[in-house]
Amino acid sequence: MNAVARDRLVTDAPIRTFHLLFASAFAVAWLTGDADDWRALHVALGYCLAGLLGWRLVYGLVGPQPARLGAMGRRFASLLRWLASLAQQRRGLERPQPLDAPQRAKLSASQAATLLMAVLPMILMAGLPFLALSGLATYQDWGGLGHLTEELHEGLAHALGLLALAHPLWVAGLSLLRGRNLAAVMVSGRFAGPGPDLVRHERRRWALLLAVSALMATAMLWREEARHPPARAAAERSDAADTDDDD
């Protein structure tokens, strides 16, 4: 009699909630980056993303093992080792391989594709502090370098935006190749297959607290930024109004 396949819990509710909040906030912030009428929301989302990143770093220290920063670092290191082995093979520096080498190489490529799927968000999160700081420097016009930091901010935003877009496309491509919806893991937290649960508890209350806190903080910051824009933003609005009056 065949054993009944079971789902195992691989991610908890706080991580899934963080993923949804982070992806949504980044997408809206990217879309509103050039819209002056939505600048207050754009700035509020920037603060929200910074706060979410801070939460993720703390949770990477105290959360379950799969969410730990060490686990993220090992995934990244494994991908780098695989890329280094590929480069070594191309240079012909490796020893002759046994007959089953093609099969092992195929398995390594499959594992690397999965690792890359996990590493893409890590690269995005690593670039976020630079994006947030350049955006804040532009908004506050630090040292009168607002125009210079604005170019830097826009360049980083487009680069990270393309990276963020590549992640779901990569997930969709792997899902088609493997005949399995890999994105569903970030909805249910469960993965079909044998093995023990990687996470013991869902921690739904912590996820709810994270979601409510992030949404309330963003709403309050949006309202505050709309009421009290910094000097540079106010001057730009005034210049735009004067231009409209002249026309």
Side-chain angles (χ1 to χ4, degrees), residues 48-74:
C48 175
L49 286 168
L52 287 171
L53 180 61
W55 177 90
R56 183 64 183 89
L57 292 175
V58 173
Y59 203 67
L61 298 174
V62 301
Q65 191 62 38
R68 293 291 179 95
L69 298 180
M72 297 171 65
R74 286 191 292 272

Side-chain angles (χ1 to χ4, degrees), residues 70-244:
M72 297 171 65
R74 286 191 292 272
R75 295 188 195 106
F76 190 74
S78 297
L79 182 63
L80 291 180
R81 285 195 298 269
W82 183 81
L83 292 174
S85 68
L86 276 186
Q88 196 174 32
Q89 289 178 15
R90 291 181 65 88
R91 297 190 188 99
L93 298 180
E94 287 201 340
R95 298 176 181 176
Q97 298 293 318
L99 294 178
D100 62 342
Q103 185 177 359
R104 290 212 310 269
K106 182 178 179 181
L107 179 61
S108 297
S110 176
Q111 292 174 340
T114 303
L115 284 172
L116 182 59
M117 180 179 65
V119 165
L120 282 175
M122 293 165 50
I123 299 175
L124 176 61
M125 287 188 289
L128 183 66
F130 303 98
L131 180 65
L133 284 174
S134 61
L136 185 61
T138 301
Y139 195 51
Q140 299 288 348
D141 197 18
W142 290 350
L145 299 175
H147 293 291
L148 180 61
T149 56
E150 183 177 6
E151 294 295 328
L152 175 61
H153 183 67
E154 289 182 357
L156 285 172
H158 290 313
L160 294 179
L162 292 175
L163 189 65
L165 185 61
H167 177 59
L169 293 176
W170 191 263
V171 173
L174 285 181
S175 298
L176 289 174
L177 288 174
R178 298 179 181 179
R180 174 182 296 186
N181 186 1
L182 300 177
V185 177
M186 271 301 165
V187 177
S188 65
R190 312 196 73 87
F191 190 82
D197 290 338
L198 300 183
V199 178
R200 294 182 179 180
H201 307 289
E202 276 278 24
R203 298 181 177 88
R204 290 190 177 92
R205 292 182 180 179
W206 290 104
L208 180 61
L209 178 61
L210 173 63
V212 171
S213 300
L215 293 174
M216 289 184 62
T218 302
M220 293 174 60
L221 287 167
W222 184 7
R223 183 178 180 183
E224 186 67 19
E225 291 297 330
R227 284 183 173 182
H228 307 290
R232 183 170 183 262
E236 289 180 355
R237 290 183 180 180
S238 178
D239 292 342
D242 293 341
T243 302
D244 293 339

